[in-house]
Amino acid sequence: MAAGSAPAAVLDAFTFGTHEQIERLNKHLSGQVLDFTNNHGVDRRLYSPALDSKRDLYVYLPPGYDGCRKFPVMLWLHGLGLDEKNFLYVVPVFDAAIRAGKLPPMVIASPDGSINGKPALASGGSFYLNSKAGNFEDYIMNDIWPFVTRNFAVRPERGAHVLAGVSMGGFGTYNLGFKHPDEFGLLGGIMPPLNMRYADCNGRYFANYDPACVSLRNTDRPGEVIGRFYLVVPIRSRHLLDPLVDSKTADPTAFVARENPIEMLSAYDIKPGRFEMFIGYGKRDEFNIDAQVESFVDEAKRRGIRPTVAVVPDGRHNMDAAVKIFNYMAGWINQRVAPYVPAGYDPTRYPPANTAPAGVLRRKHLFPLGARLPIVGTQTDESYPVPSPGSGDVIILP
């Protein structure tokens, strides 16, 4: 999900890397974004013991957040070739949905999942795994997640905890969710690679899914093309696998199989009702995510698990399809998380340009030294569909 998801007024209001970027962005939001990064002239990054380095994080607070009433919480994971800065483009979409009552008010945290701390497609992606690239699972679950849940006013129930992401972040959603079932009740994947070893019965990765002709391929073909950015730039198997495994890895295929969400259904004995699951994808995906998802959904159904699925018939692996899917996913989340919203909450009650309360963090000393809280601004409501998705529904989006 890239720049096109944000209103033009927001994009015109700032330039990346400026001191004023966050303040100007917040003037267009009903909620506010807190800066724990080194992107805006002051180093406010958080130290990660898991990675033994400082890492960037943005946290969104919903309108009316006062540090006392507890809100639902979402951990949002970005896609391949991106980093946490992408959140500044998508947060206006979240904010508008909350303002319009289509997404429940929630604290949303977006960590940096890039390998080198900056967006770089050439260096592959962490996939939020513990691997040669670093202990990224531990970074998310032992560093970022406790920081958010201990220092912000969020509900403790797993039913109020949403793990969601796009593309690589959708993979991380299901991989981490299955490994940490006590932490998250809702898993939401937009264009997620859920069967990294997909192939038809003839070993072809780009074949359409046919339940009568499907297999799990080995990953010993490093030159195999598994996707194309912008329909042109080839992405080969080695681009994704080489950063994660090294010569000491005796069996790279076993590594992928161990982390592959479709195979984790059995390995982690995922039971019906353990999670609420949402998956959205486009039928013309350049990475053949549609076949991956369809094979995953069939395997889940064989285990009695019925994810809610949203399909964009002409959708590709791009922002247009992602926004359509998110608009529907927002209603799916709202339907399930609404019971955890503070009683009587109405996002329209809070006037624009309120100064953020001093106690946005319950432990004030953890707020970065010298950081100034931005000003809450306004956001024009946008039109969102009002779905009533039930578990196991397959929805065809226009």
Side-chain angles (χ1 to χ4, degrees), residues 199-214:
D200 73 356
C201 54
N202 298 308
R204 298 176 301 177
Y205 172 73
F206 278 105
N208 291 331
Y209 174 64
D210 177 354
C213 181
V214 64

Side-chain angles (χ1 to χ4, degrees), residues 186-262:
L186 283 75
L187 306 180
I190 297 177
M191 303 180 295
L194 297 180
N195 184 0
M196 301 281 278
R197 296 211 293 142
Y198 172 79
D200 73 356
C201 54
N202 298 308
R204 298 176 301 177
Y205 172 73
F206 278 105
N208 291 331
Y209 174 64
D210 177 354
C213 181
V214 64
S215 65
L216 292 172
R217 65 192 176 90
N218 291 332
T219 59
D220 55 1
R221 293 178 287 179
E224 182 181 21
V225 175
I226 59 173
R228 294 185 184 274
F229 271 111
Y230 308 110
L231 301 177
V232 176
V233 182
I235 303 299
R236 302 183 185 279
S237 180
R238 64 171 174 266
H239 291 151
L240 304 185
L241 193 57
D242 284 358
L244 305 179
V245 300
D246 55 27
S247 58
K248 297 179 182 178
T249 304
D251 187 352
T253 295
F255 172 85
V256 176
R258 185 171 63 249
E259 305 293 352
N260 193 17
I262 191 172

